[in-house]
């Protein structure tokens, strides 16, 4: 018999743009069972109490918490060849309030301040119930990381991602987390199997988790497990999947952690889980030429400040502006939707950023194109248009109209208050929004239990971190993964012992 959840716990309303990927009937997704209720499709290769899929911050926190709460046989599988995932590659900055470190320095913040800051940064797109849990626990999580796991924090607490002094810094940046967790898991006797990825979640005839199919070195095996935790990360390195989830994102490139390909989301969805908020992601404008022709990465295709030049304008393939460029929002998210829209209207994989040589030179060598490439240049609008392959008359009129708006002090066509004219000779670069963090994923209850579309849980299946739907944004990404890893570990241990 499946357990229900409260209405407050249900995540994934249509109002937030929920979506479901390939939801299948539970009986169709599960192995056929005999009268005793155990799988007869194949023998089990291994048996554990808890299988944690993913050794990033969420999975590592889950394993520690599960062991501390009585789970005996815990196995962590990791797709890559080292632990830590996206967490280990981060700056090691984690938001929190009321921590022992803040108390030592006399820094006082409240839940209301933290919650409002996070929600404002995310334009209130987050799920309120889950986000409150992230915020309520963020300080406790930092103290837990220090006291239980042995993470070494610096004395410095920064004001970042908003006006609050909330960002705690780890010694050794993201790698400091991996070092501490590695030692902690060794002490607990938790095995971490690297080079092993999740392929499928297995359910019994009643829709309860009974194990998973994993793959290592091209060979699959079946692991019987009383509970499974999905901590596989998001899909920020899988542009094809991003476009399948949300056609608006067609044309994006994945620049997230190479192992973030959506394995957990696909496996969960194929087992009947609801996917929610999957159109909510962090996209950063990158150099299209470098991404498409030079196997670009987030670093190599960096625009190095071009987007923030005071006279940068965006034009499409027709040479016309289409958006207020000053409406960048937090990390330029407000620009992404109109850019994707213009790309699709034009049938192109990019739009153009334009500035001028004098403004670039005034940046003192900081604004340079990656891979040693030169910007597209033009001594006047006609020459620039020819180099870009756009209509020269339209581009000249666009630049004239923009400069007139600067003179007037207001942009009546698109809004905003441009302050700096464009003066020939001009420079341009083609840009495309690239996904670096995803915020949507597997829907869950307040206990990190995976939900189906009907609001019922899938017994024995848990999820957290970037694999789950959204309860965090910039500054709280690490708080979110550790906090929900801990909740998942506690819930899984309780389920196993029930």
């Amino acid at each position: 018999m499946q357990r229900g959840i409260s209405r407050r716990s249900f995540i994934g309303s249509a109002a937030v743009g929920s979506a479901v990927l390939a939801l299948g009937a539970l009986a169709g997704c599960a192995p056929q069972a005999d009268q005793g209720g155990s799988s007869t499709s194949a023998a089990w290769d291994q048996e554990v109490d808890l299988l944690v899929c993913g050794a990033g911050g969420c999975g590592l926190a889950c394993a520690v918490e599960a062991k501390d709460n009585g789970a005996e046989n815990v196995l962590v599988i990791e797709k890559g060849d080292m632990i830590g995932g996206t967490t280990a590659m981060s700056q090691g900055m984690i938001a929190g309030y009321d921590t022992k470190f803040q108390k030592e320095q006399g820094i006082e913040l409240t839940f209301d301040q933290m919650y409002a800051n996070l929600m404002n940064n995310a334009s209130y797109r987050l799920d309120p119930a889950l986000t409150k849990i992230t915020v309520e626990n963020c300080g406790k999580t930092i103290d837990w990381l220090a006291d239980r796991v042995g993470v070494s924090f610096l004395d410095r607490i920064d004001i970042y991602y908003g006006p609050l002094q909330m960002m705690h810094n780890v010694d050794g940046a993201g790698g400091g987390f991996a070092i501490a967790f590695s030692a902690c898991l060794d002490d607990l006797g938790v095995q971490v199997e690297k080079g092993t990825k999740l392929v499928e979640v297995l359910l019994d005839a009643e829709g309860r988790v009974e194990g998973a199919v994993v793959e290592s070195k091209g060979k699959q095996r079946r692991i019987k497990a009383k509970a499974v935790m999905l901590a596989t990360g998001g899909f920020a390195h899988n542009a094809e999947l991003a476009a399948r989830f949300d056609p608006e994102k067609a044309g994006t490139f994945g620049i997230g952690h190479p192992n973030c390909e959506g394995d957990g989301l696909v496996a969960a969805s194929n087992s009947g889980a609801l996917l929610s908020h999957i159109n909510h992601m962090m996209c950063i404008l990158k150099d299209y030429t470098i991404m498409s022709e030079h196997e670009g990465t987030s670093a190599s295709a960096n625009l190095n400040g071009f987007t923030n030049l005071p006279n940068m304008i965006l034009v499409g393939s027709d040479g016309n502006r289409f958006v207020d460029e000053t409406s960048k929002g937090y990390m330029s998210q407000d620009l992404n939707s109109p850019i994707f829209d213009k790309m699709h209207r034009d049938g192109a994989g990019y739009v153009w950023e334009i500035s001028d040589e004098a403004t670039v030179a005034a940046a003192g060598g900081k604004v340079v194109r990656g891979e040693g490439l030169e910007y597209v240049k033009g001594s006047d609008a006609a020459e620039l248009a020819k180099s870009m392959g756009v209509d020269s008359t339209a581009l000249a009129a666009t630049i004239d109209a923009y400069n007139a708006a600067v003179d007037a002090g207001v942009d009546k066509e698109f809004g905003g208050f441009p302050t700096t004219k464009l003066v020939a000779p001009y420079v341009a670069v083609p840009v495309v929004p690239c996904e670096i963090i995803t915020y949507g994923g597997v829907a869950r209850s307040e206990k990190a239990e995976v939900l189906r579309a009907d609001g019922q849980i899938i017994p024995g299946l848990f999820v957290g971190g970037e694999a789950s739907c959204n309860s965090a944004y910039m500054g709280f990404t690490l708080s979110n993964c550790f906090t929900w890893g801990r909740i998942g570990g506690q819930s899984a241990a309780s389920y196993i012992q029930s």
Side-chain angles (χ1 to χ4, degrees):
M1 183 175 69
Q2 294 175 343
R3 293 171 288 176
I5 61 167
S6 67
R7 184 174 182 85
R8 179 173 178 266
S9 299
F10 179 74
I11 311 301
S13 66
V16 206
S18 305
V20 181
L21 173 68
L23 287 175
L26 290 176
C29 294
Q32 295 299 308
D34 61 18
Q35 292 180 349
S38 60
S39 171
T40 60
S41 60
W44 297 105
D45 299 296
Q46 188 175 357
E47 184 171 348
V48 299
D49 288 335
L50 172 62
L51 176 64
V52 179
C53 303
C58 178
L60 297 174
C62 174
V64 172
E65 199 69 76
K67 286 288 289 185
D68 284 351
N69 281 270
E72 295 182 0
N73 189 356
V74 177
L75 171 64
V76 181
I77 61 169
E78 165 55 39
K79 183 177 181 179
D81 57 5
M82 61 180 62
I83 70 168
T86 303
T87 298
M89 296 178 63
S90 73
Q91 295 174 294
M93 300 176 67
I94 178 171
Y97 76 103
D98 200 33
T99 67
K100 66 177 186 178
F101 303 106
Q102 288 168 319
K103 291 174 182 176
E104 290 171 358
Q105 299 182 36
I107 301 168
E108 296 184 2
L109 297 173
T110 66
F111 167 85
D112 289 340
Q113 288 176 303
M114 297 287 283
Y115 181 78
N117 181 72
L118 171 54
M119 277 296 206
N120 183 65
N121 285 344
S123 301
Y124 282 79
R125 293 172 180 150
L126 306 181
D127 179 270
L130 300 186
T131 302
K132 286 178 181 177
I133 292 174
T134 300
V135 175
E136 286 170 352
N137 288 279
C138 61
K140 300 173 187 175
T141 291
I142 290 174
D143 287 347
W144 178 82
L145 287 167
D147 298 337
R148 174 63 186 92
V149 182
V151 174
S152 178
F153 284 87
L154 301 175
D155 292 334
R156 191 179 79 250
I157 302 175
D158 291 332
I159 297 174
Y160 210 67
Y161 298 113
L164 307 179
Q165 192 172 357
M166 64 180 187
M167 301 306 300
H168 296 64
N169 294 271
V170 172
D171 188 11
F177 289 116
I179 292 171
F181 270 104
S182 181
C184 187
L185 292 177
D186 284 346
D187 289 342
L188 288 169
V190 174
Q191 179 187 358
V192 180
E193 184 179 316
K194 302 169 187 174
T196 304
K197 70 175 183 178
L198 172 67
V199 175
E200 182 181 1
V201 173
L202 300 176
L203 308 180
D204 65 19
E206 296 183 353
R208 297 175 179 273
V209 163
E210 65 172 355
V213 177
V214 304
E215 182 179 304
S216 178
K217 297 180 180 179
K219 295 182 178 180
Q220 292 189 357
R221 72 180 195 274
R222 292 161 47 85
I223 300 177
K224 184 176 179 62
K226 296 176 182 177
V228 172
M229 174 69 175
L230 302 176
T232 52
F235 52 98
H237 202 73
N238 192 335
E240 180 182 354
L241 185 59
R244 193 180 308 150
F245 282 149
D246 182 6
E248 182 195 48
K249 304 303 189 301
T252 190
F253 291 83
I255 56 173
H257 192 286
N259 291 334
C260 287
E261 298 181 302
D263 298 340
L265 281 73
V266 173
S269 179
N270 289 343
S271 297
L274 170 69
L275 302 186
S276 180
H277 301 82
I278 44 73
N279 62 341
H280 189 195
M281 62 182 65
M282 173 71 71
C283 291
I284 307 296
L285 291 179
K286 298 293 179 180
D287 189 313
Y288 173 80
T289 302
I290 294 175
M291 290 303 304
S292 61
E293 299 179 14
H294 298 269
E295 298 183 351
T297 65
S298 180
S300 68
N302 198 334
L303 293 171
N304 299 316
F306 198 107
T307 302
N308 294 321
L309 293 174
N311 59 356
M312 186 278 293
I313 64 170
L314 286 161
V315 304
S317 297
D318 54 9
N320 294 315
R321 286 177 69 211
F322 57 90
V323 68
D324 171 21
E325 296 85 358
T326 65
S327 179
K328 296 170 185 174
Y330 204 71
M331 295 293 287
S332 301
Q333 294 310 289
D334 287 347
L335 287 180
N336 289 329
S337 185
I339 288 175
F340 277 121
D341 180 69
K342 185 61 174 173
M343 285 166 49
H344 300 329
R345 288 175 183 270
D346 291 349
Y350 56 87
V351 297
W352 289 94
E353 286 189 356
I354 297 174
S355 183
D356 58 43
E357 289 188 359
T359 304
V360 169
K366 295 180 179 180
V367 179
V368 293
R369 197 172 183 191
E371 296 291 340
L373 300 179
E374 295 288 333
Y375 291 117
V376 175
K377 298 181 178 181
S379 60
D380 55 23
E383 185 174 80
L384 181 66
K386 183 177 180 180
S387 299
M388 293 166 56
V390 305
D391 182 83
S392 59
T393 301
L395 184 60
T398 292
I399 292 174
D400 288 343
Y402 172 79
N403 286 340
V406 174
D407 287 335
V410 61
D411 184 353
K412 294 182 179 180
E413 185 174 7
F414 296 104
F417 303 92
T419 60
T420 307
K421 286 187 176 183
L422 285 162
V423 180
Y426 306 111
V427 294
V429 59
V431 299
V432 57
C434 298
E435 55 166 343
I436 192 168
I437 300 174
T438 54
Y439 296 113
V442 181
R444 68 193 187 283
S445 75
E446 295 173 9
K447 294 182 180 179
E449 302 157 309
V450 172
L451 301 181
R452 303 185 327 199
D454 61 4
Q456 298 298 307
I457 67 168
I458 298 178
L461 189 58
F462 304 88
V463 67
E466 203 175 335
S468 57
C469 71
N470 61 355
S471 54
Y473 202 65
M474 300 305 291
F476 285 82
T477 305
L478 295 184
S479 300
N480 178 69
C481 80
F482 290 125
T483 291
W484 285 97
R486 295 184 67 198
I487 293 171
Q490 294 163 6
S491 297
S494 176
Y495 175 84
I496 290 167
Q497 297 170 77
S498 65

